[in-house]
Amino acid sequence: MPGLSSSVSREIDWHTASSNVLVDARSDFILAPHFDLIFREKSDDLIAQVAADLASGHYEPQLPISISVPKPGLLTRPGSILLPKDRLIYQALIQDMLTPVEQQFDRSRSFSHVPSDQADRLFEPSYSGWSAFQRRVEEICNEKPVILQCDVANYFETLPQHNLINALEGASCRTECVRLLEKLLLAFREKSSQGIVQGIFPSDVLGNFYLTDADAHCALFEHPSARYVDDIYIGFDNELGARSFLVDFIESLRSVGLTLNATKTRICRSSELLFEQREVDTMFQAARGEVETTRDLIEEGAYGFQGDWINSDDYEEAINEGLDTELLAVRALIAYDYPDEELAEKIDRFSLPYLRASGDDFGVERAFQGLEQRPHLIRHYFSYLNHFARTNPDVQERIEALIVRNGFYLDYQRMYYMAGVLTCQNVASETVAQVMTWYRNRSVGRHTRALAAIFTCKFGSARERREVRATYSNEDPYVRAAILYGAQFFTNAEKRTMKTAWNGHSELNSLIAAAI
C-alpha cells in the first residue's frame, strides 16, 4: 500500500482536516457518537497514528460503514461514513488537491461546494450555494424561453474512478496524493473501480469536480447553464435547440461513463419552471401580506378577518403576544392543508428550519406527520424535533411511543428515532426494552446496533447494561467501540475495568478509552 513521504505529509494540514471532519459529521447519514468523540477530543493522537502508518507504508484502508437511505418513493440509496483514520486521510488528501481542483471550475455555472475564505470552514454554507444556484436558474429562465433540466442517474454509485483519477492528474494535483487517493477509492468500493462513497465532503468535492466538463460543454456552445453537483439547468431559445443539444450531451456524458436519469430529465417552458422555483416564496409573501392586513385590522378594533391563509380568530392572540410578521406567515404556511405532496415537502423544507431557529414549536405536529409520510426526510424532521424533545415532555413521549410501536422497515429510521431522544435525561423502561430487541437482533445493521448499545448504556437498567457489556467479545470492532464509548455511563469502577480490559484491542479502542 503506498504511503506518503515525510515531506508531503508535513505539508498537509492534518489539524484543519480533522476540524473539517467534525463539521462534515453534522450531516452524516450514520450517527456515530464514538467517532465524533475521537475527532473532538483525541485528534492529535489520531493524527499521530495516521502519520506513523503512512510513513511505514503499512496503512490499509477499511471498508466504509454503509446504510440504506430512503429516497422519495420506494427506493433507497447508500450512505456511508469511514473509520476515523480513513476519513482523516480522505479529507486531508482532498484538501491538498483543493486549489488545483478549484481552478477547473467555472463558478458562474457551478454553485455547489464553494471553498470558504474563512479559516474555520472548508466550504461556504450549503444554503448559500443553493440560494446562488436558484438565483442563477431564475436568471436563465428570464433570459431563455426553454429550459433543459438534467439529472445524472445514480451518479455517485456509477462515477468511474479511473476517469476521475486521470482528471485529477490532468488538473496538476500532487501525484503522490492522487496515487494514494486511487487506492483509497478502490478499497472503499471493495476493489470495484466504479463509484465513490456517498455522504461525506471529500466525495462531494470529487463528484462536483468530475462534472466540470459538463459546464465546459455548455460554455462551448454558449448556452447559459447552472449546476449543483449533478443537477443541471440549461437555457435555449426554442425546444428544437434543446432537443438537439440533449442528443449530443447524452453522448458526451456516456463517453465519461455517465447516463442521465430518464425520470428527472425534461424540457419545459421557462415560465413553468419559474413558477415552480418561486412557488413557495410566492405563497410566503401572500401569507405575510395577510398577516400584516390582519394585524392592522386587529389594531383598529375590527374582528373576524377571513383570508386564504389567515383567520383572525386564530391569529389575534399570537399577534397580541408580539410575534413578528414573518414567523406568523411561516406558521400559516405550515398549517395549510396541501393536496400536492411535492408542494407539501417544499413547505416543510422551507418552514421547519425557520421555526427551529426561532425556537417555535408550532411545527411539531407537522414534523410528526412528516415522519410517517416522508421517511426520506427523517433527518430533516428530527433536526427540528430534537430541539424540543429535551425541553418538551410531550414531544419526547411521542417519539418514545413510536419507538415502542416499532413500525419501521429501515435501520435508518430506527437510528434517527433513537437519536431523537438520546440527548434527553431519561427515557421510559419500555423504550429501552424495544431498543434492546434491536440490539439483540443480528439482522439489524451494525450501525444501528452500535447506537442501540450506546442508548442502552445510557438509559438502561443495571441488568440491561450488563447484558450489553457481556456481548462485547461477540461483536465486530465497530460495535465494540460503541460499547466501550458506553462505559462512561457505568459506575466508575465498572468504567475503569472496561477501559483496562478493552483499551488494547484496537487503535480505535485506545483513542476512545483515552477520550472517556
Side-chain angles (χ1 to χ4, degrees), residues 225-299:
S225 68
R227 180 173 65 83
Y228 198 92
V229 190
D230 63 326
D231 194 8
I232 308 168
Y233 292 79
I234 312 167
F236 296 89
D237 292 322
N238 52 61
E239 185 173 339
L240 179 60
R243 288 185 177 275
S244 299
F245 177 85
L246 179 58
V247 172
D248 184 58
F249 193 49
I250 290 171
E251 292 301 321
S252 175
L253 290 174
R254 188 174 292 146
S255 69
V256 294
L258 303 175
T259 58
L260 292 178
N261 186 326
T263 62
K264 294 183 179 180
T265 297
R266 61 170 181 161
I267 296 172
C268 64
R269 304 296 301 176
S270 294
S271 55
E272 176 187 350
L273 181 60
L274 202 55
F275 173 79
E276 295 172 5
Q277 293 285 112
R278 294 176 175 173
E279 189 171 16
V280 173
D281 187 62
T282 299
M283 296 169 70
F284 172 73
Q285 294 302 332
R288 193 178 191 279
E290 285 197 7
V291 169
E292 291 174 341
T293 300
T294 304
R295 189 187 299 276
D296 291 343
L297 289 171
I298 289 173
E299 289 175 354

Side-chain angles (χ1 to χ4, degrees), residues 496-511:
R496 284 194 299 271
T497 300
M498 294 163 74
K499 289 174 64 174
T500 302
W502 302 336
N503 170 68
H505 287 181
S506 68
E507 291 179 321
L508 187 60
N509 275 18
S510 70
L511 293 170

Side-chain angles (χ1 to χ4, degrees), residues 100-206:
V101 161
E102 182 60 26
Q103 292 172 354
Q104 309 304 309
F105 282 91
D106 178 349
R107 285 301 180 183
S108 69
R109 294 178 182 270
S110 176
F111 296 89
S112 49
H113 306 99
V114 178
S116 173
D117 55 6
Q118 298 183 31
D120 60 342
R121 61 163 46 129
L122 184 58
F123 297 109
E124 294 295 330
S126 57
Y127 64 80
S128 64
W130 180 255
S131 296
F133 167 68
Q134 290 185 308
R135 288 195 298 272
R136 180 55 186 148
V137 170
E138 289 191 11
E139 289 173 359
I140 295 172
C141 287
N142 290 325
E143 294 170 15
K144 299 290 183 178
V146 174
I147 300 294
L148 170 60
Q149 180 181 352
C150 301
D151 179 90
V152 179
N154 302 315
Y155 181 45
F156 285 90
E157 297 168 63
T158 59
L159 196 157
Q161 295 173 18
H162 182 70
N163 291 0
L164 173 62
I165 292 298
N166 287 343
L168 291 170
E169 289 179 330
S172 301
C173 294
R174 201 191 311 246
T175 301
E176 195 172 339
C177 291
V178 173
R179 293 274 71 83
L180 180 55
L181 176 64
E182 183 177 23
K183 298 298 182 182
L184 280 177
L185 297 179
L186 196 62
F188 293 160
R189 296 288 290 179
E190 297 187 82
K191 297 187 176 181
S192 168
S193 60
Q194 188 177 54
I196 58 177
V197 293
Q198 187 171 354
I200 52 181
F201 272 173
S203 293
D204 293 338
V205 172
L206 294 177

